[in-house]
């Protein structure tokens, strides 16, 4: 009886998987067919944020710039709010050329490029100028280039500030307060290690499912920059925001290598230029968006805590040292060396 049931479930499972595969294939083919319409040169860009998020606004700006630069020959059509899938799913659709572009967190790319893990290491940038010097310099270029074997091309970075803890049941003032707390992390090994090193218990959940997870107590808290914390309305449930600013994880604009290779050199130039211009504008806007978000959550009754960062920095020394001698260790050394240079951020 039990065996029969198991065989039945197994068969059902295979049928369901097969049906899902066929559906995904059909969907991918459909998207592939229209990811870049030959007559209108529309590049489809999917991401998981809402349309009021500063990165969405920056991508709209990139699209407008592209239209102007190309004299109306090229444009970007944006699908926001995870309509076309979670970050990882969309990346996979880019790999087969079914979607042209996406905006993802660099951490979501760590399953595709080892280099991206470097952003999960806490407290590696001294300040904003150091951060941008690294991203716009040779280290940033190498990190973007590391996506090539994954059939992806990194076009550039967007500011995503720094990530701090927000909790439903009380403030985090020291790493000891994280003990026994279930903290949502981005679904990646690198984020799990980061929260573990800081003392919390990491629970990977996709961004779109986090609001409910906080509400239902699946997790006690999460971590993100202030615009994302505010716009996602997570502050309605998680009313303690501790600005320990443990990691600075940039957002990344990527294009499918397949789609990129299908563009002429002139079209590639227009797109790269639109990206560069919109990245500069986005950096300016990010600072204001972060400040506004903090003011808004405070008004809504959130307690904002400014903890002493030293105990947090001490707690992750072991994590940093564990990378010594590895590719990430090498990147960490190069990033630290950039802090010593006086050159202004490009
Ligand atoms: C940031 C990032 C998103 C990411 C999110 C997350 O807000 O910009 O791309 O999805 O963090 O924590 O999942």
């Amino acid at each position: 009886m039990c065996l029969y049931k198991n065989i039945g479930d197994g068969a059902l499972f295979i049928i369901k998987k097969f049906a899902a595969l066929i559906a995904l294939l059909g969907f991918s083919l459909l998207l592939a067919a229209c990811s870049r319409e030959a007559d209108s040169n529309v590049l489809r860009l999917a991401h998981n944020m809402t349309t009021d998020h500063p990165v969405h606004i920056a991508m709209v700006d990139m699209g407008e710039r592209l239209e102007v630069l190309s004299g109306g020959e090229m444009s970007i059509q944006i699908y926001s709010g995870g309509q076309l899938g979670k970050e990882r799913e969309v990346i996979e659709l880019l790999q087969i050329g079914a979607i042209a572009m996406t905006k993802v967190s660099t951490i979501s790319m760590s399953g595709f490029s080892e280099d991206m893990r470097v952003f999960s290491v806490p407290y590696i940038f001294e300040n904003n100028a150091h951060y941008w010097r690294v991203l716009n310099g040779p280290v940033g270029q190498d990190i973007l280039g590391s996506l090539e074997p994954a059939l992806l091309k990194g076009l550039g970075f967007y500011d995503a500030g720094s990530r701090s803890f927000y909790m439903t049941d009380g403030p985090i003032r020291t790493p000891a307060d994280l003990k026994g707390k279930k903290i949502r992390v981005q679904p990646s090994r690198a984020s799990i290690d980061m929260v573990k090193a800081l003392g919390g218990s990491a629970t990977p959940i996709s961004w779109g499912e986090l609001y409910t997870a906080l509400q239902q107590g699946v997790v006690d808290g999460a971590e993100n920059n202030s615009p994302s914390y505010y716009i996602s309305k997570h502050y309605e449930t998680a009313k303690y925001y501790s600005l320990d600013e443990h990691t600075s994880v940039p957002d990344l604009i990527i294009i499918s290598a397949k789609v990129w290779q299908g563009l002429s050199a002139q079209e590639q130039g227009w797109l790269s230029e639109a990206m560069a211009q919109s990245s500069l504008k986005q950096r300016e806007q990010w600072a204001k968006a972060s400040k506004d978000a903090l003011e808004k959550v405070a008004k809504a009754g959130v307690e904002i805590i400014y903890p002493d960062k030293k105990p947090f920095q001490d707690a992750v020394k072991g994590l940093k040292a564990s990378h010594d001698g590895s590719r990430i260790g090498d990147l960490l050394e190069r990033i630290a060396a950039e802090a010593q240079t006086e050159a202004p951020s490009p």
Side-chain angles (χ1 to χ4, degrees):
M1 179 69 180
C2 181
L3 183 67
Y4 171 78
K5 185 175 179 305
N6 281 343
I7 291 169
D9 283 354
L12 195 66
F13 178 75
I14 291 169
I15 290 168
K16 275 188 183 163
K17 277 270 173 210
F18 192 64
L21 201 69
I22 298 280
L24 183 70
L25 204 67
F27 178 62
S28 307
L29 287 175
L30 187 72
L31 282 167
C34 55
S35 73
R36 182 174 177 248
E37 290 157 350
D39 53 345
S40 60
N41 281 357
V42 179
L43 298 169
R44 286 176 163 73
L45 184 160
H47 71 90
N48 68 348
M49 288 289 159
T50 50
T51 51
D52 47 355
H53 195 282
V55 292
H56 174 86
I57 296 167
M59 288 181 281
V60 171
D61 173 73
M62 172 166 56
E64 285 167 3
R65 287 170 193 270
L66 181 62
E67 284 194 50
V68 172
L69 287 163
S70 67
E73 277 188 39
M74 292 177 80
S75 64
I76 296 176
Q77 186 166 349
I78 305 179
Y79 295 83
S80 61
Q83 313 170 36
L84 298 188
K86 296 173 187 160
E87 289 198 317
R88 193 183 167 97
E89 293 162 353
V90 170
I91 298 163
E92 285 167 1
L93 288 170
L94 254 76
Q95 288 183 302
I96 56 167
I99 296 179
M101 296 169 72
T102 187
K103 188 274 334 160
V104 280
S105 169
T106 38
I107 288 302
S108 303
M109 298 305 300
S110 56
F112 299 85
S113 145
E114 169 78 7
D115 283 12
M116 298 288 167
R117 293 187 55 153
V118 75
F119 297 111
S120 70
V121 183
Y123 302 112
I124 59 175
F125 299 108
E126 304 259 307
N127 49 40
N128 213 32
H130 176 208
Y131 175 65
W132 282 105
R133 231 175 12 249
V134 169
L135 295 185
N136 288 338
V139 177
Q141 285 311 306
D142 285 356
I143 292 175
L144 290 179
S146 73
L147 291 173
E148 269 171 37
L151 309 178
L152 300 164
K153 177 172 171 62
L155 283 178
F157 298 102
Y158 274 164
D159 204 343
S162 27
R163 299 176 74 99
S164 293
F165 292 108
Y166 48 84
M167 306 296 293
T168 55
D169 60 350
I172 300 298
R173 296 186 198 281
T174 71
D177 295 330
L178 283 163
K179 202 167 182 321
K181 299 286 180 204
K182 280 181 271 141
I183 307 291
R184 175 270 173 175
V185 290
Q186 293 172 272
S188 84
R189 179 82 246 160
S191 303
I192 296 174
D193 293 346
M194 182 272 295
V195 160
K196 257 195 190 160
L198 285 164
S201 165
T203 308
I205 296 177
S206 76
W207 180 246
E209 285 153 13
L210 180 53
Y211 185 90
T212 316
L214 286 164
Q215 228 179 14
Q216 296 180 346
V218 176
V219 285
D220 305 307
E223 40 93 59
N224 216 322
N225 53 56
S226 59
S228 299
Y229 170 54
Y230 167 63
I231 288 163
S232 61
K233 300 193 169 44
H234 293 169
Y235 69 90
E236 291 175 354
T237 322
K239 290 193 166 300
Y240 301 91
Y241 193 31
S242 299
L243 295 178
D244 67 306
E245 302 184 318
H246 45 267
T247 46
S248 299
V249 179
D251 275 344
L252 184 63
I253 300 285
I254 48 181
I255 183 164
S256 155
K258 207 169 163 200
V259 173
W260 176 257
Q261 282 149 15
L263 299 178
S264 68
Q266 190 180 40
E267 289 170 332
Q268 291 178 349
W270 288 329
L271 184 57
S272 302
E273 180 58 22
M275 172 68 216
Q277 289 181 7
S278 93
S279 168
L280 278 178
K281 178 93 186 288
Q282 192 263 350
R283 271 164 70 181
E284 279 167 34
Q285 285 169 341
W286 183 263
K288 185 176 179 311
S290 302
K291 195 169 154 274
D292 287 355
L294 276 185
E295 281 168 17
K296 286 187 181 129
V297 295
K299 251 196 208 137
V302 165
E303 184 184 339
I304 299 176
I305 299 106
Y306 294 85
D308 176 7
K309 291 185 192 169
K310 178 86 175 40
F312 292 88
Q313 288 163 344
D314 289 346
V316 296
K317 278 188 179 150
L319 175 67
K320 278 190 176 168
S322 73
H323 291 294
D324 286 354
S326 70
R327 166 88 189 147
I328 300 296
D330 176 45
L331 285 173
L332 287 174
E333 270 179 31
R334 291 173 67 196
I335 291 173
E338 275 294 340
Q340 313 307 324
T341 64
E342 291 298 316
S345 118

